[in-house]
């Protein structure tokens, strides 16, 4: 088996949003796995359990696994590594636009109950992230972008940001 890479999408999108990255990884000789979960209907702990079942169902338990995650998917991975540290041999991870310190944008939008209702419990958990931040288990790279909007889409961000999450 070539090196497995699990791709984990973010809030409000599906596993197919990670398809192109998976396609490129396959061309580079990796074995990509698209992990999908309904980000709006359950808390992060539920997504974490689903990831464990996904790993088991693909025969990847105790395997050396890398990850590519986007936004909320990065937090799902952190939760997974905290809850199931012996399940796999974590190798490397690339986080794309992760809200590792929580999301000011989510906190601001969350002041309106309609957003909490539409976006669900995982969105509410993004107000403040409470998962271990240690990277001793895994080699970690973060890609965080910026856009020319000084304050972000929702005018809640102070420093460099991608429009939704601050680089810091």
């Amino acid at each position: 088996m070539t090196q497995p890479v699990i791709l984990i999408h973010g809030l409000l999108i599906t596993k197919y949003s990670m398809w192109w990255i998976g396609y490129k990884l396959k061309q580079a000789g990796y074995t990509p796995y698209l992990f999908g979960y309904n980000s709006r209907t359950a808390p992060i702990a539920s997504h974490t359990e689903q990831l464990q079942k996904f790993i088991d169902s693909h025969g990847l338990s105790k395997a050396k696994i890398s990850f590519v995650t986007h936004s909320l998917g990065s937090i799902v991975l952190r939760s997974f590594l905290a809850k199931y540290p012996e399940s796999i041999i974590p190798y490397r991870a690339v986080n794309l636009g992760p809200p590792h310190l929580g999301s000011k944008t989510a906190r601001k939008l969350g002041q309106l109950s309609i957003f909490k209702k539409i976006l669900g419990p995982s969105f509410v958990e993004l107000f403040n992230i409470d998962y271990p931040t240690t990277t001793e288990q895994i080699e970690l790279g973060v890609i965080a972008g910026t856009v020319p909007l000084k304050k972000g889409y929702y005018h809640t961000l102070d420093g460099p940001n991608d429009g939704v999450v601050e680089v810091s």
Side-chain angles (χ1 to χ4, degrees), residues 43-59:
I44 292 169
S46 175
H47 310 322
T48 301
E49 291 171 16
Q50 289 177 15
L51 178 56
Q52 176 60 51
K53 290 176 185 173
F54 179 86
I55 288 169
D56 288 344
S57 72
H58 286 86

Side-chain angles (χ1 to χ4, degrees), residues 2-163:
T2 61
Q3 173 67 48
V5 180
I6 297 177
L7 295 95
I8 309 173
H9 63 84
L11 185 67
L12 295 179
I13 52 181
T14 71
K15 66 183 180 181
Y16 301 109
S17 66
M18 304 293 278
W19 177 86
W20 183 252
I21 296 171
Y23 174 74
K24 289 305 213 178
L25 285 167
K26 187 169 184 149
Q27 285 184 324
Y30 296 91
T31 303
Y33 294 87
L34 300 177
F35 169 66
Y37 59 99
N38 189 333
S39 63
R40 291 184 40 237
T41 61
I44 292 169
S46 175
H47 310 322
T48 301
E49 291 171 16
Q50 289 177 15
L51 178 56
Q52 176 60 51
K53 290 176 185 173
F54 179 86
I55 288 169
D56 288 344
S57 72
H58 286 86
L60 297 173
S61 294
K62 303 296 182 189
K64 183 177 177 181
I65 301 175
S66 292
F67 297 86
V68 176
T69 65
H70 173 246
S71 193
L72 175 62
S74 304
I75 306 308
V76 171
L77 176 59
R78 276 177 56 188
S79 171
F80 172 81
L81 292 173
K83 186 169 184 178
Y84 301 104
E86 305 298 322
S87 174
I88 62 166
I89 302 167
Y91 185 47
R92 293 183 173 143
V94 175
N95 295 167
L96 308 172
H100 282 306
L101 299 178
S103 170
K104 287 182 184 177
T105 301
R107 285 191 294 273
K108 187 70 172 175
L109 290 175
Q111 292 175 358
L112 301 171
S113 61
I114 187 73
F115 284 104
K116 290 179 184 176
K117 185 173 184 170
I118 292 171
L119 300 176
S122 293
F123 167 75
V124 173
E125 289 183 77
L126 290 177
F127 295 178
N128 296 295
I129 303 300
D130 188 25
Y131 294 103
T133 57
T134 181
T135 57
E136 294 169 1
Q137 295 172 287
I138 196 165
E139 290 182 40
L140 178 65
V142 174
I143 298 175
T146 60
V147 293
L149 300 173
K150 185 176 179 181
K151 290 285 190 177
Y153 294 126
Y154 305 108
H155 304 287
T156 60
L157 307 174
D158 298 319
N161 64 82
D162 65 4

